[in-house]
Amino acid sequence: MFQRLSLYHGILPATASERLHLLKRAAGLPGDFELEFDLTGNVYIPGARENIGSLTAGGRR
């Protein structure tokens, strides 16, 4: 998933990882919580398909 974000959106893997951890923290989730992603970088809580944010928000870096 990080490779696709880099290729199509210009998001570096380190940036995507940092954003993912920030989204988890903001949602009150532990660091090892398993999440779901769509092809555009949206992040969801499994089962409920609750969107907690996007790894592309903020643009490339």
Side-chain angles (χ1 to χ4, degrees), residues 3-23:
Q3 291 173 342
R4 179 178 180 81
L5 288 174
S6 180
L7 181 64
Y8 294 105
H9 301 281
I11 307 294
L12 297 174
T15 300
S17 177
E18 179 183 313
R19 289 176 180 173
L20 178 59
H21 288 289
L22 290 173
L23 289 173

Side-chain angles (χ1 to χ4, degrees), residues 27-58:
L29 301 170
D32 62 350
F33 192 85
E34 294 288 327
L35 295 167
E36 294 178 349
F37 308 90
D38 67 18
L39 296 177
T40 61
N42 290 311
V43 183
Y44 300 92
I45 294 177
R49 288 288 291 174
E50 178 185 340
N51 184 315
I52 64 167
S54 174
L55 299 177
T56 58

